[in-house]
């Protein structure tokens, strides 16, 4: 296990999507100098994402990252196996996503995950002045009144409001490969 502070610093420096809101975070360190070289994080499923009946028996692998410009051979499988032993009494399965714009999902395929389906394309927002990416949930309509009071109009949709803000652009992706693995199949 690693601290949330160490996880945040590592992901912000080494993962394309940066920090997450994980419930569990584990790290892999070098033996020689105790340097953090890989991080894996997990979040409990939320009912708001459509996981109503299986929310209690699955956990989501949210991030896996290695130190930038560093190849950590076997790092993912070591952290995955460690995590599974930690979760085996509480969860049955691990769910995860591979962004089809940047990944083939080979890491999951080669570690026993099963491709469940391919999701529909989704989107995120980019602040072109700050070169910063934001999850679309940040700009749900109920948040826009606080974030952009001058642009907010209750008669407009999220898209219409966000389109009126000059420095934000909506970027569509190609969907995600959705993977799942049964913990007990992996550790037995």
């Amino acid at each position: 296990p690693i601290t949330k502070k160490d996880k945040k610093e590592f992901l912000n420096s080494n993962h394309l999507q940066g920090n997450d809101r994980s419930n569990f975070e584990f790290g892999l360190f070098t033996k020689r100098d105790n340097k953090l070289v890989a991080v894996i994080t997990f979040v409990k499923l939320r009912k708001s994402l459509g996981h109503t009946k299986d929310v209690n028996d699955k956990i989501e692998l949210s991030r896996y990252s290695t130190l930038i410009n560093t190849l950590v051979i076997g790092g993912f499988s070591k952290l995955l196996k460690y995590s599974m032993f930690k979760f085996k009494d509480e969860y049955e399965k691990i769910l995860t996503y591979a962004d089809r714009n940047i990944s083939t999902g080979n890491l999951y395929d080669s570690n026993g995950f099963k491709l469940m389906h391919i999701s529909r394309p989704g989107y995120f927002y980019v602040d072109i002045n700050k070169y910063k990416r934001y999850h679309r949930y940040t700009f749900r309509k109920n948040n826009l009144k606080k974030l952009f009071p001058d642009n907010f109009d209750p008669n407009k949709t999220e898209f219409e409001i966000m389109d009126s803000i000059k420095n934000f652009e909506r970027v569509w992706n190609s969907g995600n490969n959705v993977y799942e693995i049964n913990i007990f199949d992996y550790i037995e």
Side-chain angles (χ1 to χ4, degrees), residues 19-40:
N19 190 32
D20 65 357
R21 294 184 177 179
S22 62
N23 301 102
F24 307 97
E25 40 280 319
F26 306 110
L28 194 63
F29 295 82
T30 59
K31 285 184 180 180
R32 185 177 36 158
D33 56 2
N34 203 36
K35 183 176 185 177
L36 184 60
V37 293
V39 167
I40 194 168

Side-chain angles (χ1 to χ4, degrees), residues 123-181:
Y123 63 92
F124 55 91
Y125 287 100
V126 174
D127 182 332
I128 58 175
N129 292 340
K130 296 179 182 176
Y131 302 104
K132 186 169 180 183
R133 175 180 169 158
Y134 294 89
H135 194 279
R136 68 181 181 269
Y137 290 162
T138 305
F139 301 109
R140 287 180 287 195
K141 188 172 178 181
N142 60 342
N143 294 339
L144 294 178
K145 186 173 186 176
K146 287 183 286 182
L147 294 170
F148 306 108
D150 295 340
N151 297 76
F152 185 78
D153 180 343
N155 298 315
K156 290 185 176 179
T157 66
E158 168 204 324
F159 280 20
E160 291 171 322
I161 295 167
M162 289 304 295
D163 287 348
S164 73
I165 301 167
K166 293 185 189 324
N167 57 310
F168 282 90
E169 294 289 335
R170 185 179 315 103
V171 179
W172 289 87
N173 68 22
S174 302
N176 294 297
N177 288 348
V178 181
Y179 289 95
E180 192 174 274
I181 191 169

Side-chain angles (χ1 to χ4, degrees), residues 26-30 37-40 64-67 70-83 106-107 110-111 113 186:
F26 306 110
L28 194 63
F29 295 82
T30 59
V37 293
V39 167
I40 194 168
Y64 172 72
S65 181
T66 60
L67 187 63
T70 304
L71 179 62
V72 182
I73 298 170
F76 179 79
S77 62
K78 284 182 174 87
L79 286 170
L80 179 64
K81 192 167 191 173
Y82 176 85
S83 303
N106 185 49
L107 181 69
S110 62
N111 279 278
F113 282 80
Y186 191 87

Side-chain angles (χ1 to χ4, degrees), residues 100-126:
R100 293 170 54 84
N101 283 7
I102 57 173
S103 174
T104 62
N106 185 49
L107 181 69
Y108 301 121
D109 292 328
S110 62
N111 279 278
F113 282 80
K114 179 181 175 189
L115 177 63
M116 303 307 287
H117 67 276
I118 298 170
S119 72
R120 294 188 321 240
Y123 63 92
F124 55 91
Y125 287 100
V126 174

Side-chain angles (χ1 to χ4, degrees), residues 10-110:
F10 190 91
L11 291 179
N12 281 339
S13 297
N14 299 289
H15 194 281
L16 180 64
Q17 294 175 307
N19 190 32
D20 65 357
R21 294 184 177 179
S22 62
N23 301 102
F24 307 97
E25 40 280 319
F26 306 110
L28 194 63
F29 295 82
T30 59
K31 285 184 180 180
R32 185 177 36 158
D33 56 2
N34 203 36
K35 183 176 185 177
L36 184 60
V37 293
V39 167
I40 194 168
T41 67
F42 296 87
V43 295
K44 294 178 181 179
L45 295 184
R46 299 180 309 255
K47 290 182 182 178
S48 63
L49 293 177
H51 304 285
T52 52
K53 60 184 174 187
D54 58 4
V55 72
N56 294 322
D57 68 346
K58 291 182 185 177
I59 190 160
E60 179 186 334
L61 191 166
S62 175
R63 302 275 195 277
Y64 172 72
S65 181
T66 60
L67 187 63
I68 199 162
N69 298 322
T70 304
L71 179 62
V72 182
I73 298 170
F76 179 79
S77 62
K78 284 182 174 87
L79 286 170
L80 179 64
K81 192 167 191 173
Y82 176 85
S83 303
M84 287 180 161
F85 277 105
K86 290 287 191 182
F87 297 142
K88 67 182 173 63
D89 294 331
E90 193 169 349
Y91 302 102
E92 294 177 24
K93 297 178 181 179
I94 296 174
L95 173 75
T96 195
Y97 303 87
D99 182 332
R100 293 170 54 84
N101 283 7
I102 57 173
S103 174
T104 62
N106 185 49
L107 181 69
Y108 301 121
D109 292 328
S110 62

